[in-house]
Amino acid sequence: MRNKYSLFSLVKNAFSYHENWGKAWKDPEPKKEYDAIIIGGGGHGLATAYYLAKKHQMTNIAVVEKGWIGGGNTGRNTTIIRSNYLWDASAGLYDHALKIWEGLSQELNYNVMFSQRGVMNLAHNLQDVRDLKRRTHANRLNGIDAVYLNTEQVKKFCPIINTSPDIRYPVLGGTLQKRAGTARHDAVAWGYARGADEMGVDIIQNCEVKGIKRNGDSVEGIETTKGFIKTKKIGVVAAGHSSVIANMAGLRLPLESKPLQALVSEPVKPIIDTVVMSNAVHAYVSQSDKGELVIGAGTDDYVSYSQKGSHDIVEGTLNAILELYPIFSRMRMLRQWGGIVDICPDASPIISKTSIKGLYFNCGWGTGGFKATPGSGDLFAHTIANDEPHKLNAAFNINRFISGDLVDEHGAAAVAH
Amino acid sequence: MFIINCPYCGEREQSEFKAGGEAHIVRPKQPTELSDDEWAEYLFMRKNIKGIQFERWVHTHGCRKWFNVVRDTSNDKIKAVYKMGEKPPTK
């Protein structure tokens, strides 16, 4: 690797006041033609390019990004990683990703700050208790670590939670996945970008796709703000804007794009050393290494590309946070933002070929795509390179909306959608 | 966050309403004769437009009546509101 990061390189560069570090990736102009083009330079797109080059020896490829890499939902999510999904297909998909996360920093020679601090999901009513117990069993049958905790065990694991029976939605129990946790979202995009660039992938920023050129049933290239680029294979990883790209190719997708909000507080000393998610009251919270509380809110119910959500959504989430964590009552929130998430009717993603030859879509991750970044990239690269899905993403094809073979994780996945 | 001009109650905060998705999707007249592809189109496939979208809203915390809205989804600006059964505005 050209600029391998190590203790040695750190010491060496200290002598020149850290002014001579090489660029982590180039800033090339697009070539006239590539073997494949990935639309979207977020974590999933960059990971796709990385695995196309690494595992499938496709190095004459490009990632085109309309803004800057990692500037979309990759930089806007709450960085939670877990694999405790109910259905076999989802468990396979998300645990594949989690296994890659476990060795990712070493593989990329880039510290993605993956921290297996555990994710706890709370139950607030009897149905929650039944659902979470069922999911715990399903997880364990699929080889995914999961334990069910009663109220006392929840309190012991995270002492700041208010487990009083007198609150509006009392904590009746919860599940814990200890292998789950968080990672540094920017580092994931940068690490994959650096790795892909090293193998010859062109990462082209500030290059917006304006059209997809088709010749009958196959693709010929893309029209961009930097001109026409010829290619036979296009992988679209455009998150909230997937439908916009699909419309350019004359396709319709089963997606609705909605604002999802998150917020962070002022930084404080370590107070919560895990991730706690609560489906029923829709509040989840963790603490970043800088000390900020990272709080995830819900989606609005209307289609919007405005990257702004409604105030009442944030208000509802903070109400729940304050009831569950009275200790945060005087915390001040520093920033609040929205991202546009593409939601499938069954709340599961699409990693699939389409009816157009050479056009592939990786979308529909909705409110929970970050956790899947490495697995999504790996499986999408496999799908593009072989023109066939991997067995782990076969269930996530676009035709499931015709056959009715949905992967219904709405409510089943221990997360509110 | 925006204001919606309910055709029955007047201007109210958006949080009083619930969005009902894309408007003017007509239920098939002969459901028994539909192919799986046609069912998928009707049930799941959406335009999901970035720009001017025709959509349905219901005034959940008000008159509880359904109506149609023309809204620019790129900036949430509402262009027109019209009642169920009325023809959508052409400009």
Side-chain angles (χ1 to χ4, degrees):
Chain A
M1 195 170 261
R2 231 177 312 133
N3 293 307
K4 192 171 184 337
Y5 297 150
S6 63
L7 183 61
F8 175 72
S9 71
L10 189 65
V11 173
K12 186 177 152 219
N13 279 281
F15 284 110
S16 54
Y17 304 98
H18 296 294
E19 285 171 357
N20 295 322
W21 286 99
K23 276 192 176 174
W25 55 84
K26 299 177 287 289
D27 189 20
E29 284 301 307
K31 293 184 208 162
K32 286 204 166 58
E33 184 175 356
Y34 290 98
D35 294 339
I37 292 174
I38 305 300
I39 300 175
H44 289 239
L46 293 163
T48 305
Y50 174 84
Y51 292 113
L52 272 173
K54 189 180 176 192
K55 293 174 106 172
H56 307 281
Q57 290 74 47
M58 288 179 70
T59 51
N60 182 33
I61 61 173
V63 177
V64 295
E65 163 57 47
K66 76 172 169 182
W68 61 94
I69 60 166
N73 291 353
T74 301
R76 291 165 188 268
N77 65 83
T78 51
T79 77
I80 297 168
I81 295 164
R82 60 186 178 86
S83 65
N84 55 353
Y85 280 71
L86 177 69
W87 302 113
D88 294 351
S90 317
L93 177 68
Y94 291 102
D95 209 51
H96 177 60
L98 183 49
K99 283 179 187 138
I100 304 177
W101 277 114
E102 287 173 332
L104 193 61
S105 292
Q106 290 298 325
E107 181 183 342
L108 294 177
N109 178 235
Y110 204 98
N111 186 5
V112 299
M113 296 167 72
F114 180 52
S115 158
Q116 290 177 298
R117 59 184 68 184
V119 168
M120 192 158 66
N121 294 98
L122 300 181
H124 296 277
N125 55 52
L126 283 177
Q127 190 58 45
D128 277 358
V129 171
R130 291 185 197 108
D131 288 346
L132 293 195
K133 281 185 176 167
R134 178 192 179 201
R135 185 168 53 68
T136 308
H137 293 309
N139 289 160
R140 290 163 83 159
L141 287 171
N142 277 317
I144 293 168
D145 68 306
V147 283
Y148 186 82
L149 308 177
N150 62 27
T151 309
E152 291 71 40
Q153 289 165 321
V154 166
K155 182 79 178 170
K156 197 170 171 219
F157 189 70
C158 185
I160 60 170
I161 293 181
N162 180 7
T163 51
S164 156
D166 300 331
I167 64 175
R168 178 69 183 85
Y169 298 103
V171 177
L172 301 185
T175 64
L176 176 62
Q177 184 182 20
K178 284 197 172 167
R179 282 166 64 230
T182 60
R184 174 81 196 145
H185 48 10
D186 297 322
V188 178
W190 298 337
Y192 273 122
R194 176 167 165 266
D197 176 90
E198 179 75 27
M199 291 182 283
V201 176
D202 280 355
I203 295 162
I204 304 156
Q205 302 183 74
N206 298 309
C207 179
E208 185 176 351
V209 175
K210 291 292 190 186
I212 289 181
K213 198 174 169 204
R214 277 175 63 175
N215 180 9
D217 276 344
S218 53
V219 293
E220 287 200 319
I222 56 171
E223 293 289 350
T224 74
T225 48
K226 293 192 175 184
F228 179 73
I229 314 174
K230 207 174 153 190
T231 188
K232 288 198 170 64
K233 287 187 172 192
I234 301 170
V236 185
V237 203
H241 280 70
S242 298
S243 298
V244 176
I245 305 282
N247 287 341
M248 292 175 187
L251 272 186
R252 287 224 291 173
L253 295 173
L255 296 176
E256 286 194 305
S257 297
K258 297 174 176 181
L260 174 66
Q261 296 180 85
L263 54 164
V264 295
S265 72
E266 58 191 338
V268 291
K269 287 184 178 177
I271 182 71
I272 178 164
D273 62 356
T274 184
V275 183
V276 184
M277 308 179 70
S278 180
N279 189 350
V281 296
H282 210 296
Y284 37 103
V285 63
S286 62
Q287 192 171 18
S288 74
D289 292 358
K290 280 187 286 184
E292 303 153 326
L293 295 180
V294 182
I295 295 169
T299 51
D300 280 291
D301 66 346
Y302 53 86
V303 169
S304 178
Y305 290 83
S306 65
Q307 294 193 329
K308 285 181 290 193
S310 305
H311 189 254
D312 58 296
I313 299 281
V314 170
E315 204 175 10
T317 290
L318 288 178
N319 282 343
I321 291 281
L322 288 191
E323 184 153 271
L324 279 175
Y325 312 92
I327 193 175
F328 296 151
S329 65
R330 293 185 189 184
M331 290 283 279
R332 280 166 295 196
M333 293 298 141
L334 277 193
R335 299 190 304 280
Q336 166 272 341
W337 64 91
I340 301 305
V341 297
D342 43 329
I343 301 178
C344 267
D346 60 355
S348 284
I350 295 168
I351 313 170
S352 178
K353 295 161 68 169
T354 64
S355 54
I356 300 165
K357 194 172 172 346
L359 184 64
Y360 307 86
F361 269 87
N362 183 351
C363 59
W365 289 95
T367 59
F370 177 75
K371 66 174 80 69
T373 305
S376 154
D378 182 32
L379 300 172
F380 195 42
H382 180 101
T383 308
I384 293 173
N386 299 303
D387 197 37
E388 276 301 321
H390 187 278
K391 68 177 190 321
L392 287 175
N393 67 309
F396 299 96
N397 66 72
I398 207 163
N399 288 335
R400 72 177 189 266
F401 297 98
I402 297 167
S403 69
D405 191 11
L406 304 181
V407 188
D408 187 7
E409 287 288 351
H410 251 299
V415 66
H417 285 277
Chain B
M1 197 161 84
F2 43 90
I3 304 283
I4 298 175
N5 190 6
C6 171
Y8 305 97
C9 311
E11 291 190 343
R12 299 294 170 88
E13 164 57 33
Q14 170 262 319
S15 59
E16 287 190 15
F17 300 81
K18 196 146 173 51
E22 194 178 316
H24 306 298
I25 298 175
V26 182
R27 185 174 168 81
K29 286 215 169 68
Q30 299 286 351
T32 48
E33 284 163 28
L34 244 47
S35 69
D36 288 352
D37 281 315
E38 288 165 325
W39 268 121
E41 272 295 314
Y42 167 68
L43 281 176
F44 297 128
M45 300 301 165
R46 294 291 176 264
K47 290 180 189 153
N48 197 22
I49 289 169
K50 181 179 187 180
I52 303 295
Q53 165 160 293
F54 294 79
E55 56 193 16
R56 300 174 305 168
W57 285 80
V58 59
H59 196 177
T60 317
H61 301 290
C63 61
R64 304 197 57 180
K65 285 199 174 76
W66 285 88
F67 56 95
N68 295 306
V69 171
V70 185
R71 185 172 55 96
D72 187 339
T73 60
S74 62
N75 56 20
D76 292 337
K77 288 211 170 99
I78 292 176
K79 305 290 180 189
V81 175
Y82 57 102
K83 291 178 183 172
M84 284 292 166
E86 287 180 0
K87 283 241 160 70
T90 47
K91 59 169 188 174

